[in-house]
Amino acid sequence: MKNYKQELYDAMMEFRKLKLFKVFPGVTAMEHQALKAIDVCSELDKNVKVSHVVARMEIPAPGVSRIIRHMEEKGLVERRVDPSDRRNTFVSMTEEGREIFDRCERIIEDLGDRVFARMGEDRCEALIQGVRDFVKYTEEEIEKGNY
């Protein structure tokens, strides 16, 4: 039997090495992720708290704060203190931040369309189902707790 564990690990490392951020105009991968989190959170509430961005990104608050500070310096986002509770900070995209984010989303959409077209429908469906199955089975094995 093939060593699927090693092959999967190697494939995951290759995927991780993809430099998708190279196609982003003027933002890093983490900045794009933060803009995405702000966009998603703003659909629920126009007053997006930094703590909501932290929860969405699933990285420690100091890291998110640093990313937001850099984006603020670049003019992509603006922060403001919640007037009703000064402990909270709201963050929103500036017009320039929105333009760059929308351009990144179009680039990702186009890149995905081209890659999936090359792979073909059957391979795309098999890949997606395979990943879902892998996650499901891994979660089930973790739940068994035989370690």
Side-chain angles (χ1 to χ4, degrees):
M1 180 178 216
K2 281 180 133 179
N3 186 349
Y4 290 113
K5 293 178 294 233
Q6 185 63 47
E7 286 196 36
L8 177 61
Y9 176 81
D10 292 345
M12 290 169 72
M13 290 296 103
E14 289 171 31
F15 183 80
R16 196 170 156 222
K17 289 178 187 176
L18 279 176
K19 304 290 187 222
L20 290 176
F21 66 89
K22 285 184 175 183
V23 302
F24 295 156
V27 292
T28 66
M30 292 305 289
E31 289 170 342
H32 175 264
Q33 186 179 347
L35 290 172
K36 181 72 171 182
I38 293 167
D39 183 62
V40 169
C41 291
S42 69
E43 291 176 8
L44 302 171
D45 185 347
K46 68 177 184 147
N47 292 315
V48 177
K49 293 179 183 178
V50 171
S51 60
H52 294 151
V53 176
V54 168
R56 178 85 186 164
M57 291 181 71
E58 297 182 350
I59 62 174
V64 173
S65 293
R66 193 170 30 259
I67 293 164
I68 289 174
R69 186 175 57 252
H70 287 290
M71 291 192 310
E72 190 174 30
E73 290 169 1
K74 292 166 84 171
L76 304 177
V77 299
E78 54 191 15
R79 289 185 284 185
R80 66 186 198 294
V81 175
D82 179 352
S84 64
D85 184 349
R86 298 191 58 77
R87 294 172 295 177
N88 293 320
T89 303
F90 296 134
V91 63
S92 60
M93 283 186 234
T94 62
E95 190 174 315
E96 181 181 359
R98 171 55 66 186
E99 288 173 9
I100 287 177
F101 174 71
D102 289 345
R103 198 170 337 140
C104 288
E105 292 298 287
R106 286 191 302 273
I107 289 168
I108 291 170
E109 184 73 21
D110 180 58
L111 178 62
D113 287 347
R114 289 185 285 138
V115 169
F116 288 129
R118 289 182 67 183
M119 287 181 62
E121 191 172 323
D122 290 344
R123 288 175 65 199
C124 288
E125 288 177 6
L127 173 64
I128 292 165
Q129 190 57 54
V131 170
R132 286 183 175 147
D133 289 346
F134 181 81
V135 169
K136 176 184 175 195
Y137 301 152
T138 301
E139 287 174 341
E140 290 173 0
E141 290 301 318
I142 289 170
E143 284 297 312
K144 289 179 183 177
N146 297 326
Y147 305 101

